Amino acid sequence: GLGASLAIVEASAGLDADLIIADSPFASARSYLRRRWSKVPGHLFGMACRVAAKRFNADPDAIRPLAAVAEGSPVPILFIHGDADRLVPVADTLNIAANSLNARNAIWRVTGAAHCAGYLRAPDAYVRRCLSFIEDAVPARRVPVPTAV
């Protein structure tokens, strides 16, 4: 969703993060909004986007994870997406992952899960996958324990 998409964009812009767990990110805010408001004629949609940008400083083109990952980011991302998501197509996640070219990324498609509902569909597997990804991406730092003299 939006949080996943924002995290991906910010990590690509240099956000200091060890990893990202991105549940159901969209390829761009504009494409998401266009799908969401598909019954609105194109010229009215375009006008609404221009008004939002000018009046509210809300630019739908500012959040574009698909383009952002192409700039390169060393931050590993666990992409999670339900294959029954009707708000954001699974193809958005697959395209973002493919465009990133980061070998440390991982993708988990949750069978039967709707938008951002992977945890609800398979809570144990969700937690296991997230923890496994975290352990692989950020190995535990060992703190030396002083010995008694």
Side-chain angles (χ1 to χ4, degrees):
L2 177 60
S5 299
L6 285 170
I8 293 167
V9 169
E10 290 305 311
S12 296
L15 175 73
D16 184 23
D18 291 324
L19 62 92
I20 294 171
I21 297 175
D23 197 335
S24 307
F26 48 71
S28 75
R30 181 178 286 274
S31 66
Y32 168 75
L33 291 170
R34 189 65 193 127
R35 276 191 308 273
R36 188 95 164 103
W37 299 100
S38 61
K39 295 186 188 217
V40 174
H43 68 283
L44 290 178
F45 177 80
M47 184 174 66
C49 287
R50 287 189 298 279
V51 168
K54 185 173 177 126
R55 185 158 176 109
F56 304 109
N57 200 25
D59 183 4
D61 294 320
I63 305 170
R64 300 181 316 143
L66 182 62
V69 294
E71 297 169 12
S73 172
V75 179
I77 304 170
L78 170 59
F79 293 97
I80 301 171
H81 210 115
D83 66 4
D85 190 335
R86 293 174 38 202
L87 294 177
V88 177
V90 176
D92 279 20
T93 287
L94 299 176
N95 288 332
I96 296 167
N99 212 27
S100 77
L101 300 175
N102 186 335
R104 296 174 63 199
N105 289 351
I107 302 169
W108 179 39
R109 290 175 66 167
V110 186
T111 304
H115 184 68
C116 291
Y119 179 80
L120 297 175
R121 183 77 176 169
D124 291 338
Y126 194 100
V127 170
R128 249 190 339 274
R129 290 208 184 226
C130 289
L131 290 176
S132 175
F133 185 76
I134 292 167
E135 288 172 5
D136 289 344
V138 185
R141 296 188 178 133
R142 297 183 191 270
V143 177
V145 178
T147 56
V149 179

